[in-house]
Amino acid sequence: MSENNSLASKAMELLADPDFDQLNQRLNRVNVFDAVDMGRQEIKHSAFLAWLMDPSGPHGLGDLFIHRLLAQLYVDNSEKFAESGVASFVPLAADDLSELNVVRESEDRIDILAKTIDDRMVMCIENKVDSGLHNRQLDDYHQYIESTYGNRQYRIYVLLAPEGFEIPKDQCQNPAIWLTLSYSSVAKVLESLRDSAQGRTQILIEDYVRLLKKENIVNDEEQNKLAYNLYRNYSEVFDFVSQACTDQSAVEQYLIEKVYDPVMDDLQDKGQISNHWCWNKGRMTYYGFHTQKMNDYFGATNDDWVYAYWLYPDKVSSLLKPSMRLEVFPKGKQETTIGRMQHIRERIGSGNSSITNQNKQREIVDFPSDINLSDILETVEIDALAKETKGKLYKAMDNMLQLEKRALME
């Protein structure tokens, strides 16, 4: 039997294996969070957790979730309390938190902010699913909380991440004050609430925990065992598929390290862009940046979500075939800001519809970067490829900045 026929035979055996069917059913079970495309989107995870934290929410749990969350947070960080002298919030365990106020991204762009109506407690939660820390954002949040809620007896700083997150010292002046919370601990808390929840809330909790496991945000031992057994029995099939995919991934990762990161850093050092960031959503990588001229035009800072330039990934090959994009975020903005967005769209954008403060986001312009490596699976001259790609990226960035110059001309 030829190698191809042998591989095809193994693939058919895999499809007929009960373990494959069981794993397939687990991964494709109807889930309300799949319907809203939550996946690994931080903003949607924050929205659901904030909803559960709000004692006045229609979930029927009252302040039970926030109490259990505080207890788990204390258990997970017991050593930090002992070693660093961070003030313990144990007394809150017996307090009535039914009037807790929970808000999202409305104060200094903090992901989740929970505060009592009196001067007892404020909790700041920074949520990270895929993205990393940037621009010393934890220091900014700490400064805001201390200046705004410095009279609160308990000021609790939490960094939420899939498996906890060791805070790098170059991203935070005082890492000791930040308590870490893993999504595994959140799942543990939610599973402990299953019997207390009723009706649809119970279904939502079960669906959410399943989503965390499906997305590998939380480890699932049973799911992992099924995957291990399948790989052990059909390794040649999985290896063949993996090789076909990872060849492209390896090229992309090399370009991120040797092209995209250095070019963005260089442009920021030269003052052509004011800041930049890298954002991962599933398998897609996005680069975003601001410029000082556009900040000045909108009267915005790098932390204000008014507009963003993107090195935008192709849906199939991600950053192997990116485009350049300018987007604005009109929702809730003042009329003067909306007018400036409209002005830019009229000068360099397309489409005839007006921008209103009800639009969550609007694409102003999108054009190819001339970078197209989507068909490259193997390359010997990888350094030459990187050099050529770097030149194309500089050109694409220059084209975008020229458009900006035209848009802002009086």
Side-chain angles (χ1 to χ4, degrees), residues 289-290 294 298 306-312 323-329 341 344-345 348-349 362-367 400 403-404 407:
F289 64 95
H290 294 125
M294 195 67 87
F298 282 116
V306 179
Y307 75 98
Y309 288 106
W310 296 103
L311 187 61
Y312 212 83
S323 61
M324 298 297 301
R325 180 175 295 186
L326 170 60
E327 288 183 339
V328 293
F329 304 90
M341 293 176 180
I344 290 175
R345 187 197 65 76
I348 63 172
R362 286 290 299 272
E363 178 185 315
I364 297 296
V365 65
D366 181 273
F367 62 88
M400 180 60 88
L403 277 178
E404 176 186 88

Side-chain angles (χ1 to χ4, degrees), residues 388-405:
E388 179 185 351
T389 304
K390 186 178 288 188
K392 290 181 177 180
L393 179 56
Y394 273 118
K395 182 178 179 181
M397 294 289 287
D398 183 63
N399 288 339
M400 180 60 88
L401 294 175
Q402 288 299 318
L403 277 178
E404 176 186 88
K405 183 177 180 180

Side-chain angles (χ1 to χ4, degrees), residues 109-166:
R109 296 193 57 79
I110 294 171
D111 288 334
I112 304 176
L113 186 68
K115 51 190 176 180
T116 55
I117 59 174
D118 53 26
D119 61 0
R120 279 178 298 160
M121 184 267 278
V122 62
M123 176 189 283
C124 166
I125 300 179
E126 172 61 15
N127 182 20
K128 296 295 183 186
V129 175
D130 283 321
S131 61
L133 296 172
H134 58 86
N135 296 336
R136 301 187 70 88
Q137 60 188 136
L138 298 186
D139 290 342
D140 292 340
Y141 301 150
H142 176 257
Q143 183 179 1
Y144 174 80
I145 294 296
E146 293 299 315
S147 62
T148 309
Y149 300 101
N151 64 327
R152 299 295 170 111
Q153 183 178 2
Y154 304 108
R155 300 184 297 282
I156 306 169
Y157 298 93
V158 181
L159 181 58
L160 171 63
E163 289 303 328
F165 196 112
E166 185 174 348

Side-chain angles (χ1 to χ4, degrees), residues 31-33 48 51-52 59 61 65 186-187 189-212:
N31 189 315
V32 65
F33 295 105
F48 181 64
W51 180 75
L52 286 175
H59 44 67
L61 295 171
F65 179 64
V186 171
V189 170
L190 291 174
E191 287 173 331
S192 76
L193 294 175
R194 192 173 295 166
D195 293 338
S196 302
Q198 301 294 323
R200 292 184 178 179
T201 299
Q202 187 178 66
I203 295 172
L204 286 173
I205 287 175
E206 291 173 349
D207 275 4
Y208 184 67
V209 172
R210 279 200 294 265
L211 178 83
L212 293 177

Side-chain angles (χ1 to χ4, degrees), residues 34-288:
D34 284 331
V36 297
D37 192 29
M38 177 180 282
R40 302 176 71 91
Q41 294 189 51
E42 290 170 4
I43 192 170
K44 294 183 179 180
H45 285 273
S46 296
F48 181 64
L49 295 175
W51 180 75
L52 286 175
M53 289 174 66
D54 184 356
S56 65
H59 44 67
L61 295 171
D63 60 1
L64 185 57
F65 179 64
I66 185 63
H67 272 124
R68 296 276 180 90
L69 197 66
L70 285 169
Q72 188 65 48
L73 187 63
Y74 180 81
V75 170
D76 289 353
N77 292 271
S78 56
E79 292 184 5
K80 178 169 281 192
F81 286 114
E83 294 173 358
S84 66
V86 174
S88 168
F89 48 79
V90 168
L92 288 172
D95 280 5
D96 179 5
L97 298 176
S98 59
E99 294 186 350
L100 191 73
N101 182 26
V102 183
V103 296
R104 289 181 46 250
E105 299 202 11
S106 62
E107 293 193 37
D108 205 46
R109 296 193 57 79
I110 294 171
D111 288 334
I112 304 176
L113 186 68
K115 51 190 176 180
T116 55
I117 59 174
D118 53 26
D119 61 0
R120 279 178 298 160
M121 184 267 278
V122 62
M123 176 189 283
C124 166
I125 300 179
E126 172 61 15
N127 182 20
K128 296 295 183 186
V129 175
D130 283 321
S131 61
L133 296 172
H134 58 86
N135 296 336
R136 301 187 70 88
Q137 60 188 136
L138 298 186
D139 290 342
D140 292 340
Y141 301 150
H142 176 257
Q143 183 179 1
Y144 174 80
I145 294 296
E146 293 299 315
S147 62
T148 309
Y149 300 101
N151 64 327
R152 299 295 170 111
Q153 183 178 2
Y154 304 108
R155 300 184 297 282
I156 306 169
Y157 298 93
V158 181
L159 181 58
L160 171 63
E163 289 303 328
F165 196 112
E166 185 174 348
I167 302 171
K169 292 182 179 179
D170 64 347
Q171 282 295 333
C172 185
Q173 186 175 359
N174 189 2
I177 66 171
W178 285 86
L179 307 178
T180 56
L181 181 69
S182 71
Y183 267 94
S184 295
S185 289
V186 171
K188 184 178 179 180
V189 170
L190 291 174
E191 287 173 331
S192 76
L193 294 175
R194 192 173 295 166
D195 293 338
S196 302
Q198 301 294 323
R200 292 184 178 179
T201 299
Q202 187 178 66
I203 295 172
L204 286 173
I205 287 175
E206 291 173 349
D207 275 4
Y208 184 67
V209 172
R210 279 200 294 265
L211 178 83
L212 293 177
K213 294 178 178 179
K214 176 184 175 182
E215 294 291 333
N216 288 319
I217 299 172
V218 168
N219 186 46
D220 184 343
E221 291 185 5
E222 186 177 350
Q223 185 170 293
N224 289 345
K225 184 177 180 181
L226 286 170
Y228 172 77
N229 288 337
L230 288 169
Y231 182 76
R232 182 184 60 189
N233 295 326
Y234 309 99
S235 59
E236 56 265 66
V237 177
F238 290 108
D239 288 346
F240 175 81
V241 174
S242 176
Q243 184 65 36
C245 296
T246 56
D247 280 343
Q248 277 192 317
S249 299
V251 173
E252 181 179 52
Q253 187 58 42
Y254 181 88
L255 292 176
I256 286 174
E257 295 175 2
K258 299 296 183 182
V259 177
Y260 295 124
D261 281 345
V263 168
M264 291 295 181
D265 288 341
D266 180 50
L267 292 174
Q268 184 168 335
D269 289 342
K270 292 177 178 177
Q272 292 178 272
I273 63 177
S274 59
N275 74 317
H276 67 88
W277 64 93
C278 185
W279 175 49
N280 294 303
K281 177 185 175 184
R283 292 187 299 272
M284 296 297 165
T285 301
Y286 301 72
Y287 274 93

